[in-house]
Amino acid sequence: MSSSNIRRSMPLFSIGIVMQLTELSARQIRYYEEHQLITPMRTDGNRRLFSLNDIDRLLEIKDLLEQGVNLAGIKKLIIVNETEFVSNKPIQKSEEIRKDLSDGELRKLLKSELLHGGRHRTTLRQGDMSRFFH
Amino acid sequence: MSSSNIRRSMPLFSIGIVMQLTELSARQIRYYEEHQLITPMRTDGNRRLFSLNDIDRLLEIKDLLEQGVNLAGIKKLIIVNETEFVSNKPIQKSEEIRKDLSDGELRKLLKSELLHGGRHRTTLRQGDMSRFFH
DNA sequence: ATTGTATGTTAGGAAATGTAACATACAATT
DNA sequence: AATTGTATGTTACATTTCCTAACATACAAT
């Protein structure tokens, strides 16, 4: 893992700030955690602490939900995304990724994601927190 | 002000996190605020919220204190620093800066700062929070 | 010996966050 | 039409974190 990734996974933000940054309710954020879409750290006193990566993922989740993907689907997509990052060909094209990973129900999920609107952008690959820092 | 500076002045961090990041006590941080070395934002509920710039400044303060400069001196130095940033010659050499600003007791303060060890680095010009982000 | 500076410690209160339970809206299914 | 599942809202109560204010302390300077 690069030092940049270490920094991006540093637990820094309270849930209040994350609510503002993502425009999600505390209920939503906790619900997504409950379903293991994010796993923020905890303080000694059991308060959640979110990293930049967590916030990026929340923005991803929000985006996918708005496109009609349900939590189960998002979960799979996130795993895809992580696998992709761990692999040593991180710059392969999205078409190739889809070919690599389209088996079983995963294929259906990805297809439904593709069918939804022409909004292709960087949703799965990169969060939006970068805009907060240089 | 650049968009990057806007981001760096965004209030994001609770005092607990800032304590960890700076290794300062809450007492110290509040004391520095009391003496107007920092002015963190507040939530509606009156909790302090610190920006990256605030954290950088706290690291600056800590560094200068360790070099023997007192709060009054640090305050002056910080004003110098800000003036420098606002001016339209932000890349002028440190020697020139000193010439520009060495009048009255300020001269003495800067001198004492210079006398202290050969640690010249970037103390006054740039904080260390950049290491937390890319 | 006194004063000033920087920080520690404690007390009491308020805000933010935690979990848990129940409510609701809506889509999908039977 | 009734039921089930999903995502979220709301409320209640407990705990943690943070607030201010006051007093204590160590040390340097006067």
Side-chain angles (χ1 to χ4, degrees):
Chain A
M1 187 189 251
S2 72
S3 67
S4 152
N5 274 349
I6 292 171
R7 287 180 226 120
R8 292 189 65 79
S9 63
M10 188 179 309
L12 293 174
F13 305 99
S14 64
I15 199 171
I17 291 295
V18 176
M19 289 171 63
Q20 292 180 220
L21 255 29
T22 60
E23 296 181 282
L24 292 167
S25 68
R27 182 69 169 92
Q28 288 175 299
I29 295 169
R30 295 189 190 115
Y31 186 69
Y32 304 153
E33 182 190 19
E34 188 183 338
H35 290 265
Q36 300 166 36
L37 300 181
I38 49 170
T39 51
M41 290 291 115
R42 300 283 183 136
T43 66
D44 293 342
N46 201 36
R47 266 76 214 284
R48 271 167 267 253
L49 277 186
F50 299 82
S51 69
L52 290 171
N53 280 336
D54 289 327
I55 295 174
D56 277 344
R57 176 164 294 182
L58 285 170
L59 292 171
E60 245 183 75
I61 293 167
K62 186 181 183 185
D63 192 75
L64 289 170
L65 277 170
E66 282 165 4
Q67 292 177 60
V69 185
N70 65 13
L71 289 200
I74 294 171
K75 197 166 179 176
K76 303 259 185 192
L77 286 165
I78 282 173
I79 292 168
V80 168
N81 217 21
E82 270 180 353
T83 307
E84 171 197 349
F85 273 121
V86 172
S87 84
N88 51 5
K89 33 178 179 174
I91 319 184
Q92 63 180 341
K93 294 223 187 77
S94 48
E95 277 312 309
E96 290 168 336
I97 295 172
R98 280 180 200 110
K99 221 188 297 176
D100 286 350
L101 297 157
S102 55
D103 48 68
E105 69 176 343
L106 183 52
R107 182 190 302 252
K108 283 191 293 181
L109 286 162
L110 286 165
K111 191 176 173 192
S112 93
E113 196 268 344
L114 285 173
L115 287 175
H116 249 284
R119 323 166 57 194
H120 260 278
R121 297 153 300 105
T122 57
T123 306
L124 286 175
R125 187 170 297 277
Q126 174 80 349
D128 285 319
M129 273 307 289
S130 54
R131 71 191 151 94
F132 289 112
F133 306 95
H134 59 196
Chain B
M1 186 190 251
S2 72
S3 68
S4 152
N5 275 347
I6 291 172
R7 287 180 227 117
R8 292 189 67 79
S9 62
M10 189 179 307
L12 292 174
F13 306 99
S14 65
I15 199 171
I17 291 295
V18 175
M19 289 171 63
Q20 292 179 220
L21 256 29
T22 61
E23 295 181 282
L24 292 167
S25 68
R27 183 70 169 90
Q28 288 174 300
I29 295 169
R30 295 189 190 117
Y31 186 70
Y32 304 153
E33 181 189 19
E34 188 182 338
H35 289 265
Q36 298 165 35
L37 299 181
I38 49 170
T39 51
M41 288 293 115
R42 300 284 182 135
T43 66
D44 293 343
N46 202 36
R47 265 76 208 286
R48 271 168 267 254
L49 277 186
F50 299 82
S51 68
L52 290 171
N53 280 335
D54 290 326
I55 295 174
D56 278 343
R57 176 164 296 182
L58 285 170
L59 292 171
E60 245 183 74
I61 293 167
K62 186 180 184 185
D63 191 74
L64 288 170
L65 277 171
E66 282 164 5
Q67 292 178 58
V69 184
N70 66 11
L71 290 200
I74 293 171
K75 195 166 180 176
K76 304 259 185 191
L77 287 165
I78 282 173
I79 290 167
V80 168
N81 217 21
E82 270 180 353
T83 306
E84 172 196 348
F85 273 121
V86 172
S87 84
N88 51 4
K89 33 179 180 175
I91 318 184
Q92 62 180 339
K93 294 221 188 79
S94 49
E95 277 312 308
E96 291 168 335
I97 294 172
R98 279 181 202 109
K99 219 188 296 176
D100 286 350
L101 298 157
S102 56
D103 49 66
E105 69 177 343
L106 182 52
R107 181 188 304 250
K108 282 191 293 181
L109 286 163
L110 286 165
K111 191 177 175 190
S112 92
E113 197 267 346
L114 286 173
L115 288 176
H116 248 285
R119 322 164 59 195
H120 261 276
R121 299 154 298 105
T122 59
T123 305
L124 286 176
R125 189 170 297 276
Q126 174 80 347
D128 286 319
M129 273 306 290
S130 53
R131 71 192 150 94
F132 289 113
F133 305 93
H134 59 197

